């Protein structure tokens, strides 16, 4: 009996060596609908973003309200939520001082602010220019078969104030590409597009370092199905990106020149170079609006375009596909 137990133990050990433990098993690959198509994006800020502090015209000249800064996101005034300029103006009426709850550099704080009466309207003002929404254009990387999509490959932030936008609510829309602006020294080029605001294709409910995600409600994404590669499969060598330059997704040749080893979920795992002469002629290389364009190698989805090299527009960064938002 003792000898039998030893044999059984040895057999169990042999099975573990051959099969591996559950933790060692490679995750099952996932197949998704391939993206590469452009979408318009509108994000609610969850308040009012201060674009600039311009001051208030008074009978004594221009006066500045103390307490507010460029990049602040105003969320409440005297405890009442504000999402529209009209709501802010209404809450200032008859007030010599208000408490503004705002988000600054990721922290919430209360600031006491004294409105100033404007000479032309005789109404209290804060002397700031604000925006209620953020708009942009990007590329969808893939759509899962349950309708969840991943796009952009990097977070959305307000480029004018360099402010991170905490996601409150958002939508994706149809868009029409009207041209391409090529980059110049120190400034990336861009795909120029108009957003069709009344054509809503889905929602946005996540905005982080790996892009945006939400639910895609339009069946137009049901195109090619492709398998997501594990990052260990990505190698330097020939590849393609799928992106939209002329209102339809097309494939363009690139070369992956670096595939970094990453043990965790990180940005900029891939460095690639555009080698496709037609794309170089059209755009000069990587431009804004291409963010999220899928990178394909050996018939699998390996990553998404995220950033351009400002000193060499033919080169760009990508994030591994298995890092993207779910």
């Amino acid at each position: 009996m003792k000898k039998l137990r030893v044999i059984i133990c040895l057999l169990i050990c042999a099975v573990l060596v051959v099969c591996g433990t559950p933790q060692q098993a490679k995750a099952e690959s996932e197949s998704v609908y391939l993206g590469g198509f452009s979408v318009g994006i509108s994000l609610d800020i969850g308040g009012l973003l201060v674009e600039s502090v311009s001051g208030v015209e008074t009978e004594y000249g221009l006066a500045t309200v103390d307490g507010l800064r460029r990049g602040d996101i105003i969320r409440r005034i005297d405890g009442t939520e504000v999402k529209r300029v009209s709501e802010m103006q209404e809450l200032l009426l008859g007030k010599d001082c208000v408490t503004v709850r705002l988000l600054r550099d990721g922290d919430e704080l209360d600031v006491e602010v004294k409105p100033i009466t404007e000479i032309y309207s005789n109404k209290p003002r804060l002397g700031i220019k604000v925006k209620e929404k953020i708009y942009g254009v990007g590329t969808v990387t893939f759509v899962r078969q349950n309708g969840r999509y991943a796009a952009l490959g990097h977070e959305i932030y307000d480029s004018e104030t360099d402010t991170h936008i905490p996601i409150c609510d958002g939508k994706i829309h149809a868009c029409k590409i009207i041209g391409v602006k090529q980059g110049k020294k120190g400034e990336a080029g861009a795909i120029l597009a108009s957003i069709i605001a009344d054509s809503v294709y889905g929602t946005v409910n996540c905005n982080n370092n790996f892009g945006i995600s939400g639910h895609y409600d339009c069946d137009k994404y049901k195109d090619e199905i492709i398998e997501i590669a594990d990052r260990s499969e990505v190698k330097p060598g020939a590849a393609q990106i799928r992106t939209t330059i002329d209102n339809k997704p097309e494939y363009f040749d690139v070369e992956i020149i670096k595939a970094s080893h990453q043990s965790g979920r990180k940005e900029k795992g891939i460095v690639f170079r555009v080698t496709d002469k037609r794309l170089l002629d059209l755009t000069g290389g990587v431009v804004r609006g291409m963010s999220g364009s899928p990178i394909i190698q050996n018939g699998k989805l390996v990553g998404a375009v995220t950033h351009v090299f400002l000193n060499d527009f033919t080169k760009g960064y990508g994030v591994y596909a298995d890092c993207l938002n779910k």
Side-chain angles (χ1 to χ4, degrees), residues 164-177:
H164 166 75
I165 304 302
I167 187 67
C168 177
D169 188 22
K171 294 180 175 61
I172 52 173
H173 309 264
C175 71
K176 182 178 181 181
I177 294 175

Side-chain angles (χ1 to χ4, degrees), residues 184-259:
K184 57 184 181 181
K185 188 175 180 180
E187 182 184 346
I191 292 174
L192 307 177
S194 59
I195 298 173
I196 305 172
D198 59 354
S199 180
V200 178
Y201 280 1
T203 60
V204 183
N205 53 35
C206 178
N207 177 34
N208 61 25
N209 291 351
F210 301 97
I212 63 170
S213 62
H215 196 273
Y216 207 97
D217 298 326
C218 177
D219 283 342
K220 290 183 178 181
Y221 66 80
K222 292 184 177 178
D223 191 2
E224 299 181 37
I225 292 181
I226 192 168
E227 184 180 327
I228 295 179
D230 184 85
R231 69 190 69 178
S232 64
E233 300 178 66
V234 187
K235 308 294 181 186
Q240 291 181 307
I241 62 172
R242 192 182 197 228
T243 196
T244 300
I245 304 299
D246 189 22
N247 289 302
K248 64 178 181 179
E250 297 181 79
Y251 289 91
F252 299 96
D253 293 331
V254 300
E255 178 191 8
I256 295 176
I257 55 181
K258 184 178 180 181

Side-chain angles (χ1 to χ4, degrees), residues 46-63:
L48 300 173
L49 175 64
V50 179
E51 288 188 89
S52 62
V53 179
S54 53
V56 181
E57 288 287 351
T58 72
E59 57 181 316
Y60 304 106
L62 193 65

Side-chain angles (χ1 to χ4, degrees), residues 10-258:
L10 288 173
L11 286 172
I12 291 171
C13 290
V15 171
L16 288 175
V17 168
V18 173
C19 299
T21 62
Q23 288 79 9
Q24 292 172 325
K26 188 175 178 181
E28 186 178 346
S29 59
E30 179 185 11
S31 293
V32 295
Y33 291 103
L34 184 62
F37 49 91
S38 300
V39 290
I41 303 160
S42 62
L43 288 186
D44 287 333
I45 301 168
L48 300 173
L49 175 64
V50 179
E51 288 188 89
S52 62
V53 179
S54 53
V56 181
E57 288 287 351
T58 72
E59 57 181 316
Y60 304 106
L62 193 65
T64 303
V65 175
D66 294 329
L68 299 175
R69 300 180 190 173
R70 184 170 175 264
D72 287 346
I73 298 176
I74 297 172
R75 290 191 156 171
R76 292 179 178 81
I77 294 178
D78 285 343
T80 301
E81 189 177 62
V82 288
K83 291 187 177 181
R84 302 286 179 264
V85 175
S86 58
E87 294 170 350
M88 178 181 71
Q89 304 291 24
E90 191 172 320
L91 289 168
L92 298 179
L93 292 175
K95 304 284 184 67
D96 295 323
C97 183
V98 293
T99 299
V100 178
R101 168 65 61 90
L102 54 84
L103 187 68
R104 177 181 292 166
D105 299 328
D107 297 321
E108 281 202 353
L109 63 153
D110 290 327
V111 177
E112 298 296 319
V113 176
K114 295 181 179 180
I116 296 174
T117 301
E118 184 182 52
I119 187 171
Y120 306 114
S121 64
N122 199 36
K123 292 181 179 179
R125 305 292 190 202
L126 296 181
I128 54 176
K129 181 181 178 183
V130 298
K131 62 172 65 172
E132 301 173 353
K133 288 179 179 286
I134 299 290
Y135 294 94
V137 172
T139 303
V140 172
T141 309
F142 62 79
V143 185
R144 289 184 163 86
Q145 296 187 41
N146 63 3
R148 292 287 298 179
Y149 71 88
L152 291 185
H154 62 74
E155 75 167 327
I156 293 178
Y157 69 98
D158 182 64
S159 58
E160 294 175 3
T161 62
D162 197 29
T163 301
H164 166 75
I165 304 302
I167 187 67
C168 177
D169 188 22
K171 294 180 175 61
I172 52 173
H173 309 264
C175 71
K176 182 178 181 181
I177 294 175
I178 56 178
V180 177
K181 175 186 175 184
Q182 293 206 7
K184 57 184 181 181
K185 188 175 180 180
E187 182 184 346
I191 292 174
L192 307 177
S194 59
I195 298 173
I196 305 172
D198 59 354
S199 180
V200 178
Y201 280 1
T203 60
V204 183
N205 53 35
C206 178
N207 177 34
N208 61 25
N209 291 351
F210 301 97
I212 63 170
S213 62
H215 196 273
Y216 207 97
D217 298 326
C218 177
D219 283 342
K220 290 183 178 181
Y221 66 80
K222 292 184 177 178
D223 191 2
E224 299 181 37
I225 292 181
I226 192 168
E227 184 180 327
I228 295 179
D230 184 85
R231 69 190 69 178
S232 64
E233 300 178 66
V234 187
K235 308 294 181 186
Q240 291 181 307
I241 62 172
R242 192 182 197 228
T243 196
T244 300
I245 304 299
D246 189 22
N247 289 302
K248 64 178 181 179
E250 297 181 79
Y251 289 91
F252 299 96
D253 293 331
V254 300
E255 178 191 8
I256 295 176
I257 55 181
K258 184 178 180 181

Side-chain angles (χ1 to χ4, degrees), residues 240-298:
Q240 291 181 307
I241 62 172
R242 192 182 197 228
T243 196
T244 300
I245 304 299
D246 189 22
N247 289 302
K248 64 178 181 179
E250 297 181 79
Y251 289 91
F252 299 96
D253 293 331
V254 300
E255 178 191 8
I256 295 176
I257 55 181
K258 184 178 180 181
S260 301
H261 171 72
Q262 292 182 341
S263 57
R265 195 171 177 228
K266 299 178 183 177
E267 306 165 68
K268 297 182 178 179
I270 298 171
V271 178
F272 68 92
R273 177 188 291 113
V274 176
T275 57
D276 196 292
K277 185 178 184 304
R278 189 164 72 91
L279 184 59
L280 291 171
D281 289 342
L282 288 169
T283 65
V286 182
V287 295
R288 286 176 295 161
M290 279 186 187
S291 294
S293 298
I295 305 171
I296 300 101
Q297 186 179 55
N298 297 325

